Structure formats: structure tokens, C-alpha cells
């Protein structure tokens, strides 16, 4: 079991495989197991996964977190893994962190894959979520979160998979979850990301209710020069709904980026 440290924060991470390094970053509300179905379809890469602060086996320090802190945590994990530069694939909050990495630590980033994410969200809705979690706990929002995580058809046909994600969600530290929600609430990326000069792939879930392409992925594509888009038949949590197809999209993009 491997841990990195960033100040007083312990960060759980794991790695597998060999080849060009690829870092996989979770959405808010999920841990490293999110990628279990994807990594088996990514041979030829050195894969690194981590639990963001507030999640899984990483520390949950009190208070609000920022995207800058989460990006600093990523740098600490890369240091612990002795990786100078990696491709970064981030889902939702992970994509926001990937964009922050590309802006704040471009020397550590070779390319970015932004899956079901956004550079701007409604701060009032995230503040309301934080208030509910802090006052009533995670069970108060679990149904709403699962409805936003998955397409209707997947929830109907894959109950055990949804239940497993829900169980892990309810095991999170509510204050750690709220801390990461604050990072989304306070995000200020939309006017900055045009400065990103890394090869960029935007992954879109056709049935994503949380970050639909229009207003989210479309804004990223418009602002990051050369960004390409791949649409998958899935909801928000693509690594669970379409792991093999997602892995193929990642592989095709990274092979092209490395030879472009």
C-alpha cells in the first residue's frame, strides 16, 4: 500500500503496468476502484491511480479544498512514483484538476483527457449540496447523486454496479466530500483554459445529465486549441458504464498524441 504526503495530507495511490505513464483521476464521490474495469483494457501504459484528498484511503482534512490544492496533491503523487511527466485522464472533478495541472504545472503534463467534465459550474447548486451534506450527511443526497452519475438505462439494467458505487459513496467522510465540492463551487477555469497548449481529448457521455456537452464540454473544446471530442453512449460515470470503449478512446488518443 503506497502513500504520498503533501504537507500533512496522506494520499493513497497505486500503480500497475509498464510503458508511458498515465494518471487516472476520479470524480468527486468515487475512489480508485472507479477505474477497475478500464485498466484491464489499457495494456502498454504505466497506470497510476490515486484517491483525492477527502476520498477513499487518503486524508480528509477539515475545511474547503481548492483545485490548486488538488493539483498539488497530484504533483506529490507523481513525485512519489518518480514520474516527471504523465498523460492525465480525469473524470469530472478529475478533469478539472487535470486542466489545473496543465495550467499550473505544465512541465508535469504531456497531454490531458477530460472526461465528462466542465470548466464552469453553477456555484449556488454546489453550495446547496455542501450545506445539505454538512447538516444531514451523505445519505440525504445519495439518490440524487446516483441519478446524475448514471444513465436511466444503466441504472435499470445494472443494479449491482450502481449499488457498489452507492455503497462506496456512503462510506466517504462527509466533510472530505464537502471539501472537494467546494473546489468545484469555487472553480474559475473558464477564462484561463485557452492558455492550455497540451494535446487535449474531451470525452462526452451522450446521456450525461451532470455535465452535458452543451455548456460544458463544448466550452472546453471551443477554448483549448486543437481539442478533439469523442462521444460515448453512456452517462456521467463513463468508466463504469463503458469501460472498454473508454479505454479504446484513451489508447487511440494517446498513441496519436505521442506520434503527432
Amino acid at each position: 500500500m503506497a502513500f504520498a504526503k503533501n504537507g500533512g495530507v496522506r494520499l493513497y495511490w497505486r500503480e500497475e503496468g509498464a510503458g508511458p505513464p498515465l494518471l487516472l483521476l476520479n470524480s468527486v464521490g468515487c475512489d480508485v476502484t472507479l477505474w477497475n474495469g478500464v485498466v484491464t483494457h489499457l495494456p502498454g501504459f504505466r497506470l497510476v491511480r490515486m484517491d483525492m484528498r477527502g476520498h477513499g484511503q487518503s486524508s480528509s482534512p477539515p475545511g474547503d479544498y481548492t483545485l490548486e490544492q488538488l493539483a498539488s496533491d497530484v504533483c506529490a503523487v507523481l513525485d512519489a512514483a518518480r514520474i516527471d511527466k504523465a498523460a492525465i485522464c480525469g473524470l469530472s472533478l478529475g478533469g478539472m484538476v487535470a486542466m489545473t495541472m496543465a495550467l499550473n504545472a505544465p512541465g508535469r503534463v504531456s497531454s490531458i483527457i477530460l472526461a465528462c467534465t466542465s470548466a464552469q459550474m453553477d456555484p449556488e447548486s454546489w453550495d446547496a449540496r455542501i450545506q445539505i451534506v454538512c447538516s444531514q450527511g451523505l445519505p440525504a443526497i445519495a439518490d440524487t447523486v446516483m441519478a446524475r452519475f448514471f444513465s436511466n438505462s444503466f441504472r435499470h439494467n445494472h443494479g449491482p454496479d450502481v449499488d457498489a458505487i452507492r455503497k462506496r459513496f456512503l462510506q466517504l467522510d462527509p466533510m472530505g466530500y464537502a471539501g472537494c465540492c467546494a473546489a468545484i463551487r469555487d472553480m474559475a477555469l473558464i477564462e484561463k483554459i485557452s492558455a492550455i497548449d497540451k494535446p487535449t481529448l474531451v470525452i462526452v457521455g451522450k446521456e450525461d445529465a451532470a455535465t452535458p456537452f452543451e455548456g460544458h464540454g463544448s466550452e472546453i473544446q471551443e477554448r483549448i486549441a486543437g481539442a478533439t471530442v469523442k462521444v460515448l453512449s453512456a452517462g456521467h460515470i463513463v468508466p463504469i458504464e463503458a469501460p472498454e470503449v473508454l479505454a479504446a478512446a484513451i489508447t487511440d488518443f494517446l498513441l496519436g498524441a505521442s506520434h503527432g
Side-chain angles (χ1 to χ4, degrees), residues 30-104:
C30 295
D31 63 15
V32 294
T33 62
L34 174 71
W35 301 97
N36 284 354
V38 178
V39 298
T40 57
H41 301 291
L42 287 172
F45 295 99
R46 180 185 177 190
L47 302 171
V48 177
R49 295 184 263 173
M50 63 179 285
D51 285 333
M52 290 190 199
R53 63 172 66 195
H55 288 74
Q57 298 179 67
S58 292
S59 301
S60 296
D64 295 346
Y65 310 156
T66 67
L67 289 178
E68 289 74 21
Q69 286 177 320
L70 298 177
S72 177
D73 291 343
V74 171
C75 289
V77 168
L78 291 177
D79 288 344
R82 294 183 171 84
I83 294 173
D84 293 329
K85 179 184 287 191
I88 301 179
C89 175
L91 174 74
S92 196
L93 173 59
M96 300 167 195
V97 176
M99 287 185 278
T100 304
M101 284 286 295
L103 290 167
N104 292 2

Side-chain angles (χ1 to χ4, degrees), residues 15 34-35 48 50 70 82 110 117 136 139 148 153 178 186 202-203 208 232 235 243 250 254-255 259:
E15 66 175 308
L34 174 71
W35 301 97
V48 177
M50 63 179 285
L70 298 177
R82 294 183 171 84
S110 58
T117 192
Q136 303 176 43
R148 289 173 68 81
S153 59
D186 299 335
V202 178
I203 298 283
D208 182 2
L232 306 183
I250 292 170
L254 290 180
L255 292 179
H259 295 97

Side-chain angles (χ1 to χ4, degrees), residues 183-216:
I184 300 174
R185 179 195 64 196
D186 299 335
M187 172 172 54
L189 287 174
I190 194 66
E191 301 302 331
K192 301 176 182 178
I193 58 174
S194 60
I196 293 175
D197 63 356
K198 303 297 180 182
T200 301
L201 173 65
V202 178
I203 298 283
V204 177
K206 187 183 297 184
E207 299 175 75
D208 182 2
T211 54
F213 179 67
E214 292 302 326
H216 298 281

Side-chain angles (χ1 to χ4, degrees), residues 149-182:
F149 269 5
F150 299 107
S151 63
N152 290 333
S153 59
F154 190 85
R155 290 204 317 276
H156 179 74
N157 295 314
H158 298 271
D161 294 314
V162 175
D163 289 344
I165 292 292
R166 181 191 178 96
K167 180 179 179 180
R168 289 188 173 275
F169 174 76
L170 291 172
Q171 290 172 345
L172 296 177
D173 183 323
M175 295 302 101
Y177 176 80
C180 278
C181 288

